[in-house]
Amino acid sequence: MSDEDKDPVQRPSSSPLGKHTRLNAGRIALILVGTVGVVAFILYATFVVYGLVAGR
């Protein structure tokens, strides 16, 4: 299968702009995953602390 037969969406970009776009997309994904993780941890910690205080 030659490069012309491949789907252009699946073909990795070799241009600097394409690499920069992929890098930004990766950073945004990491930031979103990290943010969701931090929010979930804060929510979990809040429930644990509330359970300890209310359980007295």
Side-chain angles (χ1 to χ4, degrees):
M1 183 179 257
S2 68
D3 282 340
E4 289 104 29
D5 296 333
K6 291 184 181 177
D7 184 1
V9 174
Q10 299 296 325
R11 187 179 310 140
S13 175
S14 59
S15 70
L17 181 61
K19 289 179 182 177
H20 183 70
T21 301
R22 282 199 322 261
L23 191 61
N24 281 345
R27 286 180 182 156
I28 290 171
L30 283 175
I31 290 170
L32 283 174
V33 169
T35 302
V36 169
V38 168
V39 169
F41 177 76
I42 291 172
L43 196 60
Y44 171 75
T46 302
F47 285 140
V48 169
V49 170
Y50 177 75
L52 290 174
V53 171
R56 288 185 179 200

